[in-house]
Amino acid sequence: SKWSGKCHSCLEWNSLQEIEDYKSKSTSVKGDIEFLQAFIDSGNLGLAPLELGDQTWSAFGRLTTFRIYHAFYEPALEEISIPGNIGNLDSLTSFILEQNPNLSGSIPAGIGNLTILTELNLQYNSLTGEIPESIGNLINLSKLKLRNNQLSGEVPESICNISAMDWSSSSFTINNNYLCPAYPECIDSYTNYSSQCGADWGGGDSP
């Protein structure tokens, strides 16, 4: 089933042909497009890469922001996952996938390659698995929102490497998952214990 959600084209590119022409000159641009295509293929969305979500491209032909908000909720839509080649997006500063019920699977370890990322928002999806150890590579993050998924296991100690984060602010939240204590010291005082392990939002056992 094809996705019929709202799409937005890029700021710097007028057509897929322009991207295709540039790809032959830049392996980095090729990597960005390969990620978008893998995302589309994971859910059989039937879109061209530049039609997926909200995208901003730099004058150098790199994807710098990517956002999909409140999509992937149609009952007939196949489950969609974050592609493992997300590490290609090493010029990305903002990555937002929010309120997409059919977005499932795990957070790929390759996300740790996005070292200039300042915003990672994956809240209100259906993501599972553990927060990858590589999250600690994202030292420039000032916003990290993972709440309301089905993430499980332990929060990695490496998360405390994110020195730009104000853990006490609303810019950080991991509530309403199955992430059971103990928590790393940097977040322990700012994590609501009662909202983890399914305690107050559905009960039951962890996945």
Side-chain angles (χ1 to χ4, degrees):
S1 173
K2 292 186 178 181
W3 178 41
S4 59
K6 184 178 181 181
C7 302
H8 301 269
S9 59
C10 309
L11 297 182
E12 296 291 339
W13 302 101
N14 295 320
S15 70
L16 185 58
Q17 186 59 49
E18 290 185 29
I19 284 284
E20 291 294 336
D21 292 343
Y22 203 93
K23 278 169 58 178
S24 63
K25 304 174 184 178
S26 171
T27 56
S28 297
V29 172
K30 182 178 179 180
D32 292 347
I33 293 296
E34 286 177 347
F35 168 82
L36 296 173
Q37 188 62 60
F39 203 122
I40 290 164
D41 292 344
S42 76
N44 191 28
L45 299 179
L47 299 172
L50 300 188
E51 296 177 325
L52 182 64
D54 296 306
Q55 305 173 20
T56 303
W57 291 75
S58 73
F60 301 101
R62 295 303 309 277
L63 186 63
T64 57
T65 72
F66 182 60
R67 177 180 182 265
I68 298 179
Y69 175 77
H70 196 53
F72 310 147
Y73 52 80
E74 300 170 10
L77 195 66
E78 297 179 21
E79 289 192 353
I80 301 163
S81 58
I82 302 172
N85 63 354
I86 190 173
N88 291 352
L89 308 183
D90 55 5
S91 289
L92 209 64
T93 59
S94 177
F95 187 63
I96 301 173
L97 302 175
E98 182 179 358
Q99 295 191 29
N100 304 294
N102 281 354
L103 181 65
S104 59
S106 61
I107 302 172
I111 204 165
N113 199 44
L114 313 187
T115 54
I116 66 171
L117 200 68
T118 59
E119 179 175 12
L120 177 60
N121 182 344
L122 302 177
Q123 63 185 353
Y124 296 98
N125 297 304
S126 300
L127 298 173
T128 58
E130 299 184 354
I131 298 174
E133 185 77 24
S134 61
I135 197 83
N137 296 343
L138 308 182
I139 58 173
N140 292 300
L141 276 186
S142 58
K143 292 183 180 180
L144 176 60
K145 298 186 177 184
L146 303 177
R147 69 178 300 158
N148 286 74
N149 281 285
Q150 299 174 39
L151 300 172
S152 59
E154 297 182 356
V155 179
E157 291 287 342
S158 64
I159 201 171
C160 295
N161 295 339
I162 306 176
S163 55
M165 179 68 63
D166 178 2
W167 301 109
S168 65
S169 74
S170 60
S171 295
F172 167 70
T173 176
I174 59 171
N175 293 341
N176 297 351
N177 280 288
Y178 294 98
L179 299 165
C180 297
Y183 300 116
E185 184 176 357
C186 62
I187 70 170
D188 184 62
S189 297
Y190 312 113
T191 300
N192 186 347
Y193 279 60
S194 67
S195 70
Q196 294 292 348
C197 302
D200 71 348
W201 60 286
D205 298 325
S206 63

